[in-house]
Amino acid sequence: AQSVTQLGSHVSVSEGALVLLRCNYSSSVPPYLFWYVQYPNQGLQLLLKYTSAATLVKGINGFEAEFKKSETSFHLTKPSAHMSDAAEYFCAVSDGQGGKLIFGQGTELSVKP
Amino acid sequence: DAMVIQNPRYQVTQFGKPVTLSCSQTLNHNVMYWYQQKSSQAPKLLFHYYDKDFNNEADTPDNFQSRRPNTSFCFLDIRSPGLGDAAMYLCATSERQGNEQFFGPGTRLTVL
């Protein structure tokens, strides 16, 4: 079975500050890991994905995430927050073998001017 | 641009009045999914199609049905909407199960 835990349902940062959104996973097989962003009244947009290649994954909008097997983590970072980054962020895991996508509960990111 | 399209974006229905939400895709993906998302919650998978094979989640109420007449289109039918069915409904596609999913913009359903 697989599961995802996102630490912190709300994260607030100042514009220009580092963004760090935490995601820990549990998986009995090598996982596929994803980060999605959702703006109000919109669908989910894929930010980046890890599928067993490079452990440091770069995505869109300046985001990146590092797969750490020893820590079972896949935290999302961005060096400098922008007002437009304010949104809901979802971490998700699958087994890459036909299993469904398991979502975390989401983290709402607020960016203060 | 290849995409997932959902119509309408906003749907208002009355308690107990059947409603159909539609989804189309130009990605030619094999798998199509329907999710229900309530406020401040993660999307909840209702069912998915792998090609023509329908897969229902165990906890999806019988009130929810789906049709996939061809590769491009998929419909969500809610036979007798209750107040608790008010939510955002998201359609997604993927090339195969377990891969990244591409989401449509969603349909926000209001039940009066």
Side-chain angles (χ1 to χ4, degrees), chain B residues 60-72:
Chain B
T60 298
D62 292 341
N63 198 25
F64 291 85
Q65 305 285 321
S66 185
R67 297 169 282 135
R68 189 179 185 185
N70 53 53
T71 300
S72 300

Side-chain angles (χ1 to χ4, degrees), chain A residues 36 38 41 49 94 100, chain B residues 9 37 57 98 100-101 108:
Chain A
Y36 285 88
Q38 185 177 32
N41 287 313
K49 62 180 180 180
S94 80
K100 62 185 179 183
Chain B
R9 293 293 316 280
Q37 187 182 27
E57 292 299 298
E100 69 265 32
Q101 295 181 16
R108 182 165 294 284

Side-chain angles (χ1 to χ4, degrees), chain B residues 2-3 25-31 68 71-72 93-95:
Chain B
M3 57 176 61
Q25 56 136 338
T26 61
L27 297 160
N28 203 33
H29 282 168
N30 290 318
V31 194
R68 189 179 185 185
T71 300
S72 300
T93 73
S94 67
E95 195 169 2

